[in-house]
Amino acid sequence: CRHVNGRTVVIHQSHTRLAARDQHCRAAEHLLQLGHRRIALFNRPVTDPLRRSALARQGFLKALRRYGVWRDPKLYGEAEAPINRPPEEQATILDRWLSRPKPPTAIVCDSDERALLLMRLLSERGRTVPDDLSIVGHENMPSAANSDPPLTTVDARCPQRGEKALE
């Protein structure tokens, strides 16, 4: 992991379906290394035809196992929702997590688009990233670096683009 533009974490690999597993594992490991233990995964439905969501879940859980967090389901949460669903549906999931007696302290998202939406929803609820909740996106879209604060994201594109970002 490397830090670029303050908070953006650039992790690069060749773009394959299996890379989704490793990228989500590294995203969760980044949060675990920061001390988070209650981490949620916001993912596409497992019925995703390319199986990216199943692979992302495997990577996420792999990181939790490495840190011994996976044994207690109260310490992590998962939600599935297509990214094209209305923001209200995703807000319902976020509100459910935030209302738990011990809410997540961090969320790994399957896309920057969803991560940016969650940042907006948190702001509407008077909460801030990263003070109240840490969020990691996936894709490294240009809008991630331009958000306030800049979104921590996993770069799912080819290694050359990751190297260029570090220049």
Side-chain angles (χ1 to χ4, degrees), residues 17 19 23 41 43-44 56 65 69-70 114 166:
R17 287 188 314 140
Q23 292 161 354
L41 173 66
N43 202 5
R44 292 174 178 88
R65 278 193 302 274
V69 175
W70 71 282
R114 189 182 317 268
L166 292 173

Side-chain angles (χ1 to χ4, degrees), residues 127-147:
R127 300 189 186 211
T128 60
V129 173
D131 297 330
D132 296 315
L133 194 71
S134 293
I135 296 180
V136 176
H138 185 260
E139 292 167 353
N140 198 19
M141 295 171 39
S143 55
N146 297 327
S147 66

Side-chain angles (χ1 to χ4, degrees), residues 43-118:
N43 202 5
R44 292 174 178 88
V46 210
T47 55
D48 171 23
L50 297 177
R51 294 197 59 237
R52 286 178 303 215
S53 58
L55 293 168
R57 183 179 190 272
Q58 288 173 11
F60 174 77
L61 293 175
K62 180 180 178 180
L64 297 184
R65 278 193 302 274
R66 283 184 184 165
Y67 284 77
V69 175
W70 71 282
R71 294 182 188 272
D72 186 352
K74 294 177 186 168
L75 296 180
Y76 73 91
E78 291 182 77
E80 297 174 356
I83 192 63
N84 60 353
R85 301 304 300 164
E88 298 78 29
E89 288 184 28
Q90 298 182 58
T92 300
I93 294 168
L94 178 63
D95 290 338
R96 186 175 66 232
W97 282 341
L98 295 176
S99 68
R100 291 171 73 174
K102 290 188 176 184
T105 60
I107 300 175
V108 173
C109 294
D110 62 341
S111 71
D112 286 349
E113 183 180 358
R114 189 182 317 268
L116 292 168
L117 170 64
L118 291 182

